[in-house]
Amino acid sequence: MSAAPVVLADGRSLSAAMLRQLFIGQCLVVALHLAWMPPWLLGVALAAAGWRYLQLRDRVPRASILLRLTAVIGVLAALWVEFGSLHGMDGLIGVLLGIYLLKLLETHNRRDARVVICIGFVAMTVAFLHDQGVLMTIGALVAAVWLLQSLVGLAGAAQPASRWRETLWLAGLSLPLMVVLFLLFPRLGPLWSMPQTERAATGLTEEIAPGDIAELSRSAARAFRARFEGREPRPDERYWRVYTLSRFDGERWSRLTPAELARALGRAEERLAVPATRSPFADGAPTRFRAELLLEPDSRPWRPSLGAPLASDVRQRYLTDGTLEGLEPLAGRSLLRLASSGEAPAHADPAGPAWYTRLPEGANPRSRELARRLWREVGGDPQAYLAALMARFGEAPFRYTLAPPRLTGRDRVDEFLFASRAGYCTHYASATAVMARAVGIPARIVVGFLGGERHPDGHYTVRDYDAHAWTEVWLDGAWRRLDPTAAIAPERIEEGPQAVNDADQAYLANAPFSPLRLRDVSWLNRARLEWERLEYRWQRGVVGYQQQRREAVLARLQQWWSEAWARLTTGIRGPLLLVLLVGLGGGLVLALRWGWPRLRARRHEAWLMRRLQAWLARRGQGARPGESPAAHLRRVAARGLAPAPLDEAARAYERLAYARLSEAERQQRRDQLAGACRRIRHQWPRR
C-alpha cells in the first residue's frame, strides 16, 4: 500500500488524504454526541468537507472570511433555535462542535491540522459530560486512537504500517501511567463549572393528580440502581420513598418545600430540614437495610430511601417528613451509601395533625358522607375504619388498571369512588388520604417506587415504570404505611406493573424497542442482564471510584507490603539473616565489579560508532565495503539526511581515533560523539 503524502508538492498545502483523515476524525467525535446533539451537525461536517474537496479539485475558491462568518452565524442561530439558549450545557457543547466542524474550511497547512486535532480531543473529552458508560468509553478510545495516528502522520510517518505501529506504541506507553494516576492520584474538585441541563432521572413531579403516575408505566428509563449489604428486602418491603405530598386542592396533591412549609406554619426552616450525615429526627430507629445506591443524573434534589432515611456516607438534607434531599444537583452518576429503617417515619411531624387533616371546603361531598357513615359503623375506631376502607376497595366493581378513564370533574375523588371505580395507584392513594382526613385521621401521600428488577449478581434496577404512590396515616403515635394497591391488585406488589391484567395496553408503550419487551426470550434476556451487570460494575467500580475507594486501595497495598515484610523477617532470623545479608552484599560487589567496566565500555567510541552504523544500516544507509566510519557518515550527510550532527560525529570520531588526547579531552570527545548520535536519531527524516 503506497504512502499517501500529508502535504502537496508545495510543502505547505494539506493533501486530500490528510483532509480525509481529519474528516473521519470529526465524524468519530461527533458520533459520541449524536444521542444528545441535533443530527444536522453531521450535515455541517459534510458541507465543510465537501467544500474542501471541491477546492482541491479547483472547482471552488478558498472559503472567504464572509463565507466563514456566515457559516458560524448560521450554526449559532440553529443551535439557539434548537436549545432556546446558548448558556446551558447542551448549547455550549453545540457551539464547540460547530466551531470544530467549520474549522475544516480554513485548514490548509500542518499547523491548522494540528489545531483541528487538538479541538477534537477537547470535544471528545466533553462527551463524557453526557455519559460515562462502557459504550461511550469504547467510542472515545476509538476516536482518541484515530486522532493520535493523525498527529503521528503530521509528524512525518507516511507509511500506514509505521504510523499505526507508532500510535499503538505511544498508547501502550501511556497505559501504565494512566492506571497508576487513576488508582493513586487524589480526585480534585473542578476549577470551573458549566451550566447544567435541567434533566431529571425519573418522571416524578412535585405534584400529581390521579392517573399521572400511570403515564410512567410507559417508560423504561432507569431511575437508580441499588446493592444491599446484608439482608435484602422482600418484594413487599421494597417501598422506595422519594417525597411526600400534603397539600390537596380537590384535584391535585402537591408538595411544599421546607421553606414554603416554614412560611405557611410560621416556624423556622431549621426545624423542618437539617443538613447532616445522620437524621436528627429518627433517633433510636433500628437500621434494617444498608444499601449502596447508584443514582442517575438529576437536576432535582430528591434521593430515594427504603423507608425512613437514617444515615448516609456524605452530608444530605434530612426532612422531618422522611424525605432525603441532596445538597446539590447530580451532574453525573453518583454513589450514595444509605442506612434506612424500611418503615414509615416513627417520629411526629412538626407541622402537626391539623396540617395533615386539611381538606378544601365543600370539595368531594359524597366521599365525605361515605367516610362519616363508615366511621359511625365501626364505632369511631381508626384501625377498624381503615380496614373497612381497604376491604371496600378489594370488592367489585373496583379494579386496578394502567389505562384508567379520564377524570375531568371538580370533585375527582367522588367521580372515582362512585362512577369510574377503575384506576392506578394514585387514584386509590388519593381516595384513601381524603377518606382518612375526612374523619380526622392525619394522612399524606408518599410518592416513590415499588419493587425493582433483581440481577443475578445481586443488585437491583429501579425504572420509571416502578413508580408508585401510597398513603401514610398517623396512628398510635407513629406514621403507618397504608397501600390500597395491596388490596386491589396484590400481583402489582409481588411482580411489578407488567403483571397487571391490562399491562399490554400501557406497559412500555413509549419504549417499543426496549429489550425489556424480550424478557420471555430466555437467551436474549440473559444477554440483557449480562450487559446491564457489566455496565453496573463499570459505573460502580470505575466511574464511581472516589476518595474512599482510593484510600481503601492504598490501605490494601500497605497491608500487603506489611504482611510480606513480616513474613520475610519472621522466617529469616539469626545466622540465616546474617548469611543472607552477606550474600546480598557480595552479590552487589561482584555485579558492580563485573558490570561497571561494561557500562563504561558502552561509552567507548568504538561501541558508539558500531551502534550508530547499525542504526543507519537498518534505514538503508549502510556502510560500503572498505569504507571508514567517518567516510560513511560524511557520505550519508551529503545526501541531506541530518547533515550537521553526522558531520559532528565524524569529526569527533576521527579525533578520538587518531589524535593524542588526554583522558579529560578523550572523555569530552566521547560525550560529544554520544550527543551527536542522539541528535542524528532526533533529526532523521520520518519519510
Side-chain angles (χ1 to χ4, degrees), residues 200-205 213 216-217 219 221-225 235-243 295 298 300 302-307 424-425 446-452 461-470 481 483 492-493 497:
T202 74
L204 300 180
T205 60
I213 288 185
L216 295 182
S217 64
S219 170
R222 187 167 48 220
F224 62 92
R225 285 168 283 191
D236 61 338
E237 294 178 319
R238 298 177 200 155
Y239 282 86
W240 299 94
R241 63 185 298 122
V242 177
Y243 57 85
L295 305 171
D298 198 340
R300 300 163 307 185
W302 308 325
R303 306 289 184 263
S305 171
L306 199 66
Y424 197 53
C425 60
V446 183
V447 178
F449 300 91
L450 173 62
T461 298
V462 180
R463 303 179 185 274
D464 270 1
Y465 59 65
D466 292 311
H468 191 57
W470 61 94
R481 181 190 302 135
D483 189 0
R492 166 65 181 92
I493 308 299

Side-chain angles (χ1 to χ4, degrees), residues 15-27:
S15 66
M18 192 64 227
L19 289 173
R20 184 169 60 248
Q21 288 265 338
L22 298 178
F23 174 67
I24 294 174
Q26 286 181 331
C27 291

Side-chain angles (χ1 to χ4, degrees), residues 364-372 413-414 417-418 434-435 438:
N364 301 295
R366 299 181 66 187
S367 300
R368 296 189 185 206
E369 178 59 32
L370 174 62
R372 287 191 289 268
V413 176
D414 283 356
L417 288 177
F418 299 98
V434 169
M435 294 285 285

Side-chain angles (χ1 to χ4, degrees), residues 8 11 31 38 40 48 82 96 160 192 233 248 290 301 319 326 353 373 395 425 448 460 472 511 533 548 593 604:
L8 300 179
W40 52 259
E82 183 77 27
L96 174 64
W192 52 275
F248 181 58
R290 295 184 182 274
L319 277 60
R373 179 167 60 83
E395 299 172 353
C425 60
Y460 290 80
E472 285 182 351
R533 180 178 65 86
Q548 291 181 346
R593 182 175 179 81
H604 196 271

Side-chain angles (χ1 to χ4, degrees), residues 25 95 134 140 167 199 329 343 361 427 435 463-464 472 486 536 544 569 578 600 664:
V95 171
V134 178
T167 299
R199 57 182 177 180
E343 300 287 349
E361 192 68 30
H427 293 80
M435 294 285 285
R463 303 179 185 274
D464 270 1
E472 285 182 351
Y536 171 74
T569 55
L578 180 62
R600 289 181 60 85

Side-chain angles (χ1 to χ4, degrees), residues 64-75:
S64 64
I65 184 65
L66 181 60
L67 175 62
R68 284 177 281 163
L69 283 176
T70 303
V72 170
I73 293 173
V75 169

Side-chain angles (χ1 to χ4, degrees), residues 348-601:
D349 197 308
W355 177 260
Y356 290 104
T357 55
R358 296 178 59 179
L359 287 174
E361 192 68 30
N364 301 295
R366 299 181 66 187
S367 300
R368 296 189 185 206
E369 178 59 32
L370 174 62
R372 287 191 289 268
R373 179 167 60 83
L374 289 176
W375 182 258
R376 289 192 300 269
E377 290 177 357
V378 299
D381 183 353
Q383 295 198 16
Y385 170 77
L386 295 173
L389 184 59
M390 294 300 101
R392 185 180 181 87
F393 285 146
E395 299 172 353
F398 287 100
R399 62 188 180 90
Y400 193 87
T401 174
L402 295 177
R406 186 175 181 83
L407 305 179
T408 58
R410 177 179 180 274
D411 300 321
R412 298 191 180 184
V413 176
D414 283 356
E415 190 176 350
F416 165 67
L417 288 177
F418 299 98
S420 69
R421 297 178 180 178
Y424 197 53
C425 60
T426 45
H427 293 80
Y428 289 94
S430 175
T432 301
V434 169
M435 294 285 285
R437 288 188 175 193
V439 295
I441 300 176
R444 62 192 181 193
I445 290 182
V446 183
V447 178
F449 300 91
L450 173 62
E453 181 184 33
R454 190 184 189 279
H455 291 256
D457 65 347
H459 82 273
Y460 290 80
T461 298
V462 180
R463 303 179 185 274
D464 270 1
Y465 59 65
D466 292 311
H468 191 57
W470 61 94
T471 308
E472 285 182 351
V473 295
W474 180 259
L475 285 177
D476 301 329
W479 289 99
R480 308 293 182 187
R481 181 190 302 135
L482 189 64
D483 189 0
T485 300
I488 187 66
E491 67 276 9
R492 166 65 181 92
I493 308 299
E494 295 290 334
E495 304 175 38
Q498 66 271 19
V500 182
N501 291 335
D502 63 350
D504 292 340
Q505 301 176 16
Y507 180 64
L508 297 180
N510 293 344
F513 303 107
S514 172
L516 291 166
R517 290 181 170 272
L518 303 176
R519 283 176 169 174
D520 296 335
V521 184
S522 59
W523 69 273
L524 287 176
N525 193 52
R526 285 196 302 271
R528 177 185 67 85
L529 292 175
E530 284 299 317
W531 171 254
E532 291 187 357
R533 180 178 65 86
L534 172 64
E535 205 270 341
Y536 171 74
R537 290 188 174 182
W538 171 266
Q539 294 291 339
R540 181 175 177 269
V542 178
V543 180
Y545 184 84
Q546 297 294 336
Q547 179 72 15
Q548 291 181 346
R549 301 199 66 187
R550 184 182 71 86
E551 293 175 354
V553 169
L554 292 177
R556 285 198 297 269
L557 290 175
Q558 184 178 1
Q559 181 182 4
W560 174 82
W561 170 254
S562 300
E563 291 175 353
W565 179 255
R567 285 195 298 268
L568 180 63
T569 55
T570 302
I572 303 175
R573 292 182 179 277
L576 184 59
L577 179 60
L578 180 62
V579 170
L580 180 62
L581 292 177
V582 171
L584 290 175
L588 182 61
V589 171
L590 291 176
L592 290 175
R593 182 175 179 81
W594 178 83
W596 181 248
R598 285 161 178 76
L599 290 175
R600 289 181 60 85

Side-chain angles (χ1 to χ4, degrees), residues 324-342:
L324 184 66
E325 292 185 349
L327 299 182
E328 57 186 15
L330 295 178
R333 291 188 177 96
S334 177
L335 285 172
L336 173 65
R337 292 173 178 84
L338 188 65
S340 58
S341 67

